[in-house]
Amino acid sequence: MDEMKKTPHVRRRPRFRAENERKRCVACGVCVKACPRGAVSVWRGCYAVVNDEKCIGCGLCVKACPAGVMHKVENE
Amino acid sequence: MKQQRKKWSDYLWIVSATYFTLGFFNIVFAWLGVICFLIPLLMAIFGGTKGYCNNYCGRGQLFLLIGNTLKLSRRRLAPRWLSSRWFRNGFLVFFLFFFVQMVYITVLVAQGASSLSETIHLLWTFHVPWHWAYPVAVEPWRAQFAFGLYGIMLTSLIVGVLLTVFFRPRTWCVFCPMGNMTQMICKAKNKQYDGK
């Protein structure tokens, strides 16, 4: 019990994460603006990349993406 | 939920709205639209990013405003073919054709081979009278270019607003010719870094 108290910052892995279809991504940046965690960025104007460390799988970018290339997938 | 803090660049939709308003009263202001063509290309060529689309596109922000803030969007996903490569490139060719045609007509007017048409070409079909916005002090070719450019800008605004209402905000961006061109430049520039 004491040991558990000493390690309060262990982050549970979220159930979902966002995944981008890079080949079809138009790099418009709508997902970047939609993400409340700042987990999405556009890589050199080519496609959006999701930082799995920050993504909590809320799916807001999935709903915002006008091209429908962002997908909510379950973490293994 | 934590909201992202607003920056100055989040208000560029005001610039875009002002542009369309000014062009309604005086067509010469349409020339400012050249900026919307040059900045994204320069940012892509020299910066290798789509920074214009991502942060500074006032038109895109206008669509977000209509769709998200005013909630005038059905938020349905647009058909998948809209973001397919052939459609995006096909639309780019279509767009460039009308752009070149606009420049060609400007040249004809400058040479005196053709007379100034005080109309704007909307949705690639309709010639809408726009004579009230023409100040007599301007050379005809300058006015012709302004009418042409304003027609292109207004057409994309109308199509973009309709797509925002029927589908998701910024669905226009999926096949926006400027967005496609800048992405092509970025992909060509960054090929060396891309492992995939």
Side-chain angles (χ1 to χ4, degrees), chain B residues 44-70:
Chain B
I45 293 166
F46 296 106
T49 68
K50 276 189 58 162
Y52 186 81
C53 297
N54 299 162
N55 300 311
Y56 308 118
C57 179
R59 188 191 312 259
Q61 291 175 12
L62 217 50
F63 299 150
L64 287 180
L65 184 87
I66 292 167
N68 292 347
T69 314
L70 302 176

PDB file of all heavy atoms in Angstrom, chain B residues 44-70:
ATOM      1  N   ALA B  44       5.689  27.419 -48.557  1.00  0.00           N
ATOM      2  CA  ALA B  44       5.989  26.026 -48.905  1.00  0.00           C
ATOM      3  C   ALA B  44       7.369  25.912 -49.552  1.00  0.00           C
ATOM      4  O   ALA B  44       8.154  25.024 -49.223  1.00  0.00           O
ATOM      5  CB  ALA B  44       4.921  25.475 -49.840  1.00  0.00           C
ATOM      6  N   ILE B  45       7.681  26.857 -50.457  1.00  0.00           N
ATOM      7  CA  ILE B  45       8.947  26.780 -51.189  1.00  0.00           C
ATOM      8  C   ILE B  45      10.134  27.044 -50.251  1.00  0.00           C
ATOM      9  O   ILE B  45      11.112  26.305 -50.249  1.00  0.00           O
ATOM     10  CB  ILE B  45       8.954  27.771 -52.381  1.00  0.00           C
ATOM     11  CG1 ILE B  45       7.925  27.334 -53.437  1.00  0.00           C
ATOM     12  CG2 ILE B  45      10.341  27.868 -53.008  1.00  0.00           C
ATOM     13  CD1 ILE B  45       7.605  28.383 -54.481  1.00  0.00           C
ATOM     14  N   PHE B  46      10.023  28.082 -49.432  1.00  0.00           N
ATOM     15  CA  PHE B  46      11.171  28.433 -48.583  1.00  0.00           C
ATOM     16  C   PHE B  46      11.118  27.793 -47.195  1.00  0.00           C
ATOM     17  O   PHE B  46      12.144  27.489 -46.613  1.00  0.00           O
ATOM     18  CB  PHE B  46      11.299  29.958 -48.486  1.00  0.00           C
ATOM     19  CG  PHE B  46      11.600  30.594 -49.811  1.00  0.00           C
ATOM     20  CD1 PHE B  46      10.621  31.299 -50.504  1.00  0.00           C
ATOM     21  CD2 PHE B  46      12.861  30.454 -50.397  1.00  0.00           C
ATOM     22  CE1 PHE B  46      10.896  31.865 -51.743  1.00  0.00           C
ATOM     23  CE2 PHE B  46      13.136  31.009 -51.634  1.00  0.00           C
ATOM     24  CZ  PHE B  46      12.153  31.720 -52.315  1.00  0.00           C
ATOM     25  N   GLY B  47       9.922  27.607 -46.676  1.00  0.00           N
ATOM     26  CA  GLY B  47       9.824  27.041 -45.331  1.00  0.00           C
ATOM     27  C   GLY B  47       9.610  25.539 -45.334  1.00  0.00           C
ATOM     28  O   GLY B  47       9.887  24.862 -44.348  1.00  0.00           O
ATOM     29  N   GLY B  48       9.080  25.015 -46.448  1.00  0.00           N
ATOM     30  CA  GLY B  48       8.793  23.578 -46.515  1.00  0.00           C
ATOM     31  C   GLY B  48       7.660  23.164 -45.602  1.00  0.00           C
ATOM     32  O   GLY B  48       7.609  22.027 -45.136  1.00  0.00           O
ATOM     33  N   THR B  49       6.739  24.089 -45.322  1.00  0.00           N
ATOM     34  CA  THR B  49       5.606  23.746 -44.458  1.00  0.00           C
ATOM     35  C   THR B  49       4.299  24.246 -45.073  1.00  0.00           C
ATOM     36  O   THR B  49       4.313  25.062 -45.994  1.00  0.00           O
ATOM     37  CB  THR B  49       5.712  24.408 -43.068  1.00  0.00           C
ATOM     38  OG1 THR B  49       5.555  25.822 -43.213  1.00  0.00           O
ATOM     39  CG2 THR B  49       7.016  24.096 -42.393  1.00  0.00           C
ATOM     40  N   LYS B  50       3.200  23.736 -44.526  1.00  0.00           N
ATOM     41  CA  LYS B  50       1.898  24.251 -44.920  1.00  0.00           C
ATOM     42  C   LYS B  50       1.395  25.215 -43.842  1.00  0.00           C
ATOM     43  O   LYS B  50       0.235  25.209 -43.463  1.00  0.00           O
ATOM     44  CB  LYS B  50       0.905  23.098 -45.129  1.00  0.00           C
ATOM     45  CG  LYS B  50       1.031  22.502 -46.514  1.00  0.00           C
ATOM     46  CD  LYS B  50      -0.057  21.514 -46.837  1.00  0.00           C
ATOM     47  CE  LYS B  50      -1.432  22.071 -46.754  1.00  0.00           C
ATOM     48  NZ  LYS B  50      -2.441  21.263 -47.463  1.00  0.00           N
ATOM     49  N   GLY B  51       2.310  26.045 -43.378  1.00  0.00           N
ATOM     50  CA  GLY B  51       1.996  26.992 -42.309  1.00  0.00           C
ATOM     51  C   GLY B  51       0.830  27.900 -42.642  1.00  0.00           C
ATOM     52  O   GLY B  51       0.058  28.284 -41.761  1.00  0.00           O
ATOM     53  N   TYR B  52       0.681  28.214 -43.922  1.00  0.00           N
ATOM     54  CA  TYR B  52      -0.437  29.095 -44.293  1.00  0.00           C
ATOM     55  C   TYR B  52      -1.774  28.393 -44.039  1.00  0.00           C
ATOM     56  O   TYR B  52      -2.640  28.939 -43.374  1.00  0.00           O
ATOM     57  CB  TYR B  52      -0.306  29.518 -45.763  1.00  0.00           C
ATOM     58  CG  TYR B  52      -1.340  30.550 -46.158  1.00  0.00           C
ATOM     59  CD1 TYR B  52      -1.155  31.891 -45.868  1.00  0.00           C
ATOM     60  CD2 TYR B  52      -2.523  30.173 -46.780  1.00  0.00           C
ATOM     61  CE1 TYR B  52      -2.112  32.839 -46.187  1.00  0.00           C
ATOM     62  CE2 TYR B  52      -3.483  31.110 -47.110  1.00  0.00           C
ATOM     63  CZ  TYR B  52      -3.269  32.434 -46.815  1.00  0.00           C
ATOM     64  OH  TYR B  52      -4.241  33.361 -47.138  1.00  0.00           O
ATOM     65  N   CYS B  53      -1.905  27.186 -44.551  1.00  0.00           N
ATOM     66  CA  CYS B  53      -3.147  26.415 -44.336  1.00  0.00           C
ATOM     67  C   CYS B  53      -3.376  26.189 -42.849  1.00  0.00           C
ATOM     68  O   CYS B  53      -4.482  26.312 -42.350  1.00  0.00           O
ATOM     69  CB  CYS B  53      -3.057  25.048 -45.007  1.00  0.00           C
ATOM     70  SG  CYS B  53      -2.880  25.106 -46.775  1.00  0.00           S
ATOM     71  N   ASN B  54      -2.299  25.819 -42.146  1.00  0.00           N
ATOM     72  CA  ASN B  54      -2.425  25.420 -40.749  1.00  0.00           C
ATOM     73  C   ASN B  54      -2.745  26.584 -39.813  1.00  0.00           C
ATOM     74  O   ASN B  54      -3.449  26.410 -38.829  1.00  0.00           O
ATOM     75  CB  ASN B  54      -1.143  24.726 -40.277  1.00  0.00           C
ATOM     76  CG  ASN B  54      -0.832  23.471 -41.070  1.00  0.00           C
ATOM     77  OD1 ASN B  54       0.274  22.978 -41.063  1.00  0.00           O
ATOM     78  ND2 ASN B  54      -1.803  22.944 -41.805  1.00  0.00           N
ATOM     79  N   ASN B  55      -2.192  27.763 -40.109  1.00  0.00           N
ATOM     80  CA  ASN B  55      -2.353  28.870 -39.163  1.00  0.00           C
ATOM     81  C   ASN B  55      -2.966  30.150 -39.714  1.00  0.00           C
ATOM     82  O   ASN B  55      -3.633  30.866 -38.984  1.00  0.00           O
ATOM     83  CB  ASN B  55      -0.986  29.244 -38.567  1.00  0.00           C
ATOM     84  CG  ASN B  55      -0.361  28.082 -37.839  1.00  0.00           C
ATOM     85  OD1 ASN B  55      -1.004  27.454 -37.026  1.00  0.00           O
ATOM     86  ND2 ASN B  55       0.882  27.780 -38.175  1.00  0.00           N
ATOM     87  N   TYR B  56      -2.678  30.468 -40.975  1.00  0.00           N
ATOM     88  CA  TYR B  56      -3.004  31.823 -41.422  1.00  0.00           C
ATOM     89  C   TYR B  56      -4.110  31.936 -42.465  1.00  0.00           C
ATOM     90  O   TYR B  56      -4.402  33.030 -42.923  1.00  0.00           O
ATOM     91  CB  TYR B  56      -1.734  32.505 -41.960  1.00  0.00           C
ATOM     92  CG  TYR B  56      -0.583  32.451 -40.990  1.00  0.00           C
ATOM     93  CD1 TYR B  56       0.600  31.795 -41.321  1.00  0.00           C
ATOM     94  CD2 TYR B  56      -0.684  33.037 -39.740  1.00  0.00           C
ATOM     95  CE1 TYR B  56       1.654  31.727 -40.422  1.00  0.00           C
ATOM     96  CE2 TYR B  56       0.362  32.976 -38.838  1.00  0.00           C
ATOM     97  CZ  TYR B  56       1.527  32.316 -39.189  1.00  0.00           C
ATOM     98  OH  TYR B  56       2.561  32.240 -38.296  1.00  0.00           O
ATOM     99  N   CYS B  57      -4.709  30.822 -42.874  1.00  0.00           N
ATOM    100  CA  CYS B  57      -5.724  30.922 -43.930  1.00  0.00           C
ATOM    101  C   CYS B  57      -7.033  31.487 -43.364  1.00  0.00           C
ATOM    102  O   CYS B  57      -7.756  30.807 -42.630  1.00  0.00           O
ATOM    103  CB  CYS B  57      -5.973  29.563 -44.583  1.00  0.00           C
ATOM    104  SG  CYS B  57      -7.229  29.653 -45.863  1.00  0.00           S
ATOM    105  N   GLY B  58      -7.317  32.724 -43.720  1.00  0.00           N
ATOM    106  CA  GLY B  58      -8.518  33.389 -43.212  1.00  0.00           C
ATOM    107  C   GLY B  58      -9.794  32.741 -43.705  1.00  0.00           C
ATOM    108  O   GLY B  58     -10.803  32.695 -43.006  1.00  0.00           O
ATOM    109  N   ARG B  59      -9.738  32.224 -44.924  1.00  0.00           N
ATOM    110  CA  ARG B  59     -10.911  31.567 -45.495  1.00  0.00           C
ATOM    111  C   ARG B  59     -11.243  30.289 -44.729  1.00  0.00           C
ATOM    112  O   ARG B  59     -12.397  30.040 -44.391  1.00  0.00           O
ATOM    113  CB  ARG B  59     -10.620  31.238 -46.960  1.00  0.00           C
ATOM    114  CG  ARG B  59     -11.773  30.733 -47.732  1.00  0.00           C
ATOM    115  CD  ARG B  59     -11.243  30.227 -49.031  1.00  0.00           C
ATOM    116  NE  ARG B  59     -10.352  31.215 -49.613  1.00  0.00           N
ATOM    117  CZ  ARG B  59     -10.706  32.035 -50.583  1.00  0.00           C
ATOM    118  NH1 ARG B  59     -11.889  31.951 -51.086  1.00  0.00           N
ATOM    119  NH2 ARG B  59      -9.860  32.909 -51.068  1.00  0.00           N
ATOM    120  N   GLY B  60     -10.212  29.522 -44.397  1.00  0.00           N
ATOM    121  CA  GLY B  60     -10.412  28.311 -43.615  1.00  0.00           C
ATOM    122  C   GLY B  60     -11.010  28.627 -42.252  1.00  0.00           C
ATOM    123  O   GLY B  60     -11.892  27.925 -41.756  1.00  0.00           O
ATOM    124  N   GLN B  61     -10.529  29.731 -41.664  1.00  0.00           N
ATOM    125  CA  GLN B  61     -11.060  30.141 -40.357  1.00  0.00           C
ATOM    126  C   GLN B  61     -12.514  30.582 -40.469  1.00  0.00           C
ATOM    127  O   GLN B  61     -13.310  30.365 -39.553  1.00  0.00           O
ATOM    128  CB  GLN B  61     -10.220  31.280 -39.784  1.00  0.00           C
ATOM    129  CG  GLN B  61      -8.832  30.829 -39.378  1.00  0.00           C
ATOM    130  CD  GLN B  61      -7.962  31.969 -38.920  1.00  0.00           C
ATOM    131  OE1 GLN B  61      -8.433  33.071 -38.685  1.00  0.00           O
ATOM    132  NE2 GLN B  61      -6.674  31.714 -38.798  1.00  0.00           N
ATOM    133  N   LEU B  62     -12.831  31.174 -41.611  1.00  0.00           N
ATOM    134  CA  LEU B  62     -14.218  31.585 -41.859  1.00  0.00           C
ATOM    135  C   LEU B  62     -15.130  30.351 -41.894  1.00  0.00           C
ATOM    136  O   LEU B  62     -16.238  30.359 -41.343  1.00  0.00           O
ATOM    137  CB  LEU B  62     -14.268  32.322 -43.206  1.00  0.00           C
ATOM    138  CG  LEU B  62     -15.191  33.521 -43.382  1.00  0.00           C
ATOM    139  CD1 LEU B  62     -15.017  34.527 -42.271  1.00  0.00           C
ATOM    140  CD2 LEU B  62     -14.929  34.196 -44.717  1.00  0.00           C
ATOM    141  N   PHE B  63     -14.645  29.271 -42.514  1.00  0.00           N
ATOM    142  CA  PHE B  63     -15.419  28.031 -42.566  1.00  0.00           C
ATOM    143  C   PHE B  63     -15.590  27.435 -41.162  1.00  0.00           C
ATOM    144  O   PHE B  63     -16.657  26.926 -40.817  1.00  0.00           O
ATOM    145  CB  PHE B  63     -14.750  26.995 -43.484  1.00  0.00           C
ATOM    146  CG  PHE B  63     -14.627  27.443 -44.917  1.00  0.00           C
ATOM    147  CD1 PHE B  63     -13.584  26.992 -45.720  1.00  0.00           C
ATOM    148  CD2 PHE B  63     -15.558  28.306 -45.474  1.00  0.00           C
ATOM    149  CE1 PHE B  63     -13.471  27.396 -47.038  1.00  0.00           C
ATOM    150  CE2 PHE B  63     -15.444  28.720 -46.796  1.00  0.00           C
ATOM    151  CZ  PHE B  63     -14.396  28.267 -47.575  1.00  0.00           C
ATOM    152  N   LEU B  64     -14.515  27.502 -40.351  1.00  0.00           N
ATOM    153  CA  LEU B  64     -14.593  26.991 -38.980  1.00  0.00           C
ATOM    154  C   LEU B  64     -15.581  27.810 -38.162  1.00  0.00           C
ATOM    155  O   LEU B  64     -16.325  27.287 -37.342  1.00  0.00           O
ATOM    156  CB  LEU B  64     -13.217  27.030 -38.311  1.00  0.00           C
ATOM    157  CG  LEU B  64     -12.179  26.000 -38.769  1.00  0.00           C
ATOM    158  CD1 LEU B  64     -10.883  26.184 -37.997  1.00  0.00           C
ATOM    159  CD2 LEU B  64     -12.672  24.576 -38.575  1.00  0.00           C
ATOM    160  N   LEU B  65     -15.573  29.110 -38.430  1.00  0.00           N
ATOM    161  CA  LEU B  65     -16.487  30.013 -37.720  1.00  0.00           C
ATOM    162  C   LEU B  65     -17.935  29.664 -38.046  1.00  0.00           C
ATOM    163  O   LEU B  65     -18.780  29.544 -37.156  1.00  0.00           O
ATOM    164  CB  LEU B  65     -16.178  31.456 -38.128  1.00  0.00           C
ATOM    165  CG  LEU B  65     -16.955  32.546 -37.413  1.00  0.00           C
ATOM    166  CD1 LEU B  65     -16.235  32.929 -36.130  1.00  0.00           C
ATOM    167  CD2 LEU B  65     -17.107  33.780 -38.283  1.00  0.00           C
ATOM    168  N   ILE B  66     -18.196  29.467 -39.331  1.00  0.00           N
ATOM    169  CA  ILE B  66     -19.561  29.135 -39.765  1.00  0.00           C
ATOM    170  C   ILE B  66     -19.977  27.763 -39.229  1.00  0.00           C
ATOM    171  O   ILE B  66     -21.074  27.581 -38.716  1.00  0.00           O
ATOM    172  CB  ILE B  66     -19.648  29.179 -41.314  1.00  0.00           C
ATOM    173  CG1 ILE B  66     -19.489  30.616 -41.803  1.00  0.00           C
ATOM    174  CG2 ILE B  66     -20.964  28.594 -41.817  1.00  0.00           C
ATOM    175  CD1 ILE B  66     -19.244  30.742 -43.291  1.00  0.00           C
ATOM    176  N   GLY B  67     -19.066  26.806 -39.333  1.00  0.00           N
ATOM    177  CA  GLY B  67     -19.400  25.442 -38.945  1.00  0.00           C
ATOM    178  C   GLY B  67     -19.377  25.194 -37.450  1.00  0.00           C
ATOM    179  O   GLY B  67     -20.285  24.552 -36.910  1.00  0.00           O
ATOM    180  N   ASN B  68     -18.344  25.690 -36.768  1.00  0.00           N
ATOM    181  CA  ASN B  68     -18.191  25.381 -35.339  1.00  0.00           C
ATOM    182  C   ASN B  68     -18.824  26.428 -34.429  1.00  0.00           C
ATOM    183  O   ASN B  68     -19.623  26.094 -33.566  1.00  0.00           O
ATOM    184  CB  ASN B  68     -16.709  25.241 -34.999  1.00  0.00           C
ATOM    185  CG  ASN B  68     -16.106  24.011 -35.635  1.00  0.00           C
ATOM    186  OD1 ASN B  68     -16.826  23.144 -36.127  1.00  0.00           O
ATOM    187  ND2 ASN B  68     -14.796  23.926 -35.646  1.00  0.00           N
ATOM    188  N   THR B  69     -18.468  27.694 -34.637  1.00  0.00           N
ATOM    189  CA  THR B  69     -18.976  28.734 -33.732  1.00  0.00           C
ATOM    190  C   THR B  69     -20.461  28.988 -33.970  1.00  0.00           C
ATOM    191  O   THR B  69     -21.239  29.050 -33.025  1.00  0.00           O
ATOM    192  CB  THR B  69     -18.164  30.030 -33.912  1.00  0.00           C
ATOM    193  OG1 THR B  69     -16.770  29.701 -33.944  1.00  0.00           O
ATOM    194  CG2 THR B  69     -18.404  31.000 -32.757  1.00  0.00           C
ATOM    195  N   LEU B  70     -20.836  29.126 -35.245  1.00  0.00           N
ATOM    196  CA  LEU B  70     -22.249  29.381 -35.547  1.00  0.00           C
ATOM    197  C   LEU B  70     -23.061  28.087 -35.673  1.00  0.00           C
ATOM    198  O   LEU B  70     -24.271  28.125 -35.862  1.00  0.00           O
ATOM    199  CB  LEU B  70     -22.380  30.214 -36.832  1.00  0.00           C
ATOM    200  CG  LEU B  70     -21.660  31.573 -36.841  1.00  0.00           C
ATOM    201  CD1 LEU B  70     -21.795  32.244 -38.207  1.00  0.00           C
ATOM    202  CD2 LEU B  70     -22.237  32.497 -35.779  1.00  0.00           C
TER     203      LEU B  70
END
